[in-house]
Amino acid sequence: MGSGSFQRLVEVGRVVLINSGSDAGKIATIVEIVDHRRAIVDGPTTNVKRQVVPFNNVVLTDIVVKSLPRAIGSK
């Protein structure tokens, strides 16, 4: 890949910033990918309840939680 290529991939463990809705401005983590347009996110420390969000309502960050099991629970 070239230096101008997009480097952030949608993956389980990717930390996202929610940019719309009641949780706008909060950080969450992708815990499961539903389809090519939506993912389940969870943010227990930022009071983001587990919910399905469309990818166009989040911003992917550079932070990835390595080896996070798919569909892991909050507790």
Side-chain angles (χ1 to χ4, degrees):
M1 290 185 160
S3 61
S5 297
F6 186 70
Q7 297 294 319
R8 296 180 189 151
L9 302 174
V10 174
E11 59 187 311
V12 173
R14 174 74 62 184
V15 176
V16 297
L17 173 66
I18 300 173
N19 61 11
S20 67
S22 61
D23 291 321
K26 294 183 180 178
I27 299 290
T29 303
I30 296 175
V31 293
E32 186 70 51
I33 298 170
V34 176
D35 57 25
H36 69 282
R37 293 183 180 189
R38 302 174 297 159
I40 299 173
V41 299
D42 194 11
T45 59
T46 57
N47 294 326
V48 176
K49 294 185 179 183
R50 184 173 291 235
Q51 60 187 298
V52 176
V53 296
F55 291 128
N56 52 341
N57 289 353
V58 299
V59 176
L60 301 175
T61 68
D62 291 332
I63 305 165
V64 179
V65 178
K66 298 291 184 186
S67 67
L68 183 72
R70 292 182 73 159
I72 190 166
S74 295
K75 296 180 182 183

